[in-house]
Amino acid sequence: MTGIEPTQPTKLILYIAGQTPKSRAAIENLRRICEEHLPGKYVVEVVDLRQQPQLAREHNIVAIPTLVRELPTPIRKIIGDLSDSEKVLVHLQVSE
């Protein structure tokens, strides 16, 4: 062992509420951003708060869609349809 930890994939959770146009746009924008800037280095989970409304309170989600970067820590959140790729990358401090 060298003592160097393997790089963990970036873990992202996208909270949406049903298949609204804004939710669909956020999913598509997130998919595009991850494929372009984090190929093979990310895990994405999409949580529909209409199906699991208790998660909004548990995870302190106050608006939708909300993207949460859980790993690497610290946790970071961004609200919106993720149409501004640069803003998303800077805010989440995602490095290529």
Side-chain angles (χ1 to χ4, degrees), residues 14 30 34 40 51 53 66 76 80 90:
L14 179 62
L30 179 59
C34 288
Q51 297 173 356
T66 295
R76 294 197 170 264
V90 168

Side-chain angles (χ1 to χ4, degrees), residues 40-88:
K41 299 185 286 187
Y42 66 94
V43 175
V44 173
E45 179 181 353
V46 177
V47 176
D48 188 341
L49 293 177
R50 284 192 178 173
Q51 297 173 356
Q52 301 175 334
Q54 75 281 3
L55 293 179
R57 180 177 293 167
E58 290 176 20
H59 298 273
N60 199 24
I61 303 301
V62 295
I64 48 173
T66 295
L67 178 63
V68 177
R69 185 196 72 187
E70 285 208 338
L71 291 174
T73 56
I75 292 174
R76 294 197 170 264
K77 295 179 182 178
I78 186 166
I79 297 170
D81 67 2
L82 312 175
S83 58
D84 187 340
S85 300
E86 271 195 47
K87 179 181 170 186
V88 173

Side-chain angles (χ1 to χ4, degrees), residues 23-40:
S23 294
R24 288 193 302 268
I27 292 168
E28 183 56 37
N29 288 331
L30 179 59
R31 181 174 300 137
R32 180 181 42 78
I33 290 168
C34 288
E35 289 175 1
E36 289 177 5
H37 300 279
L38 296 167

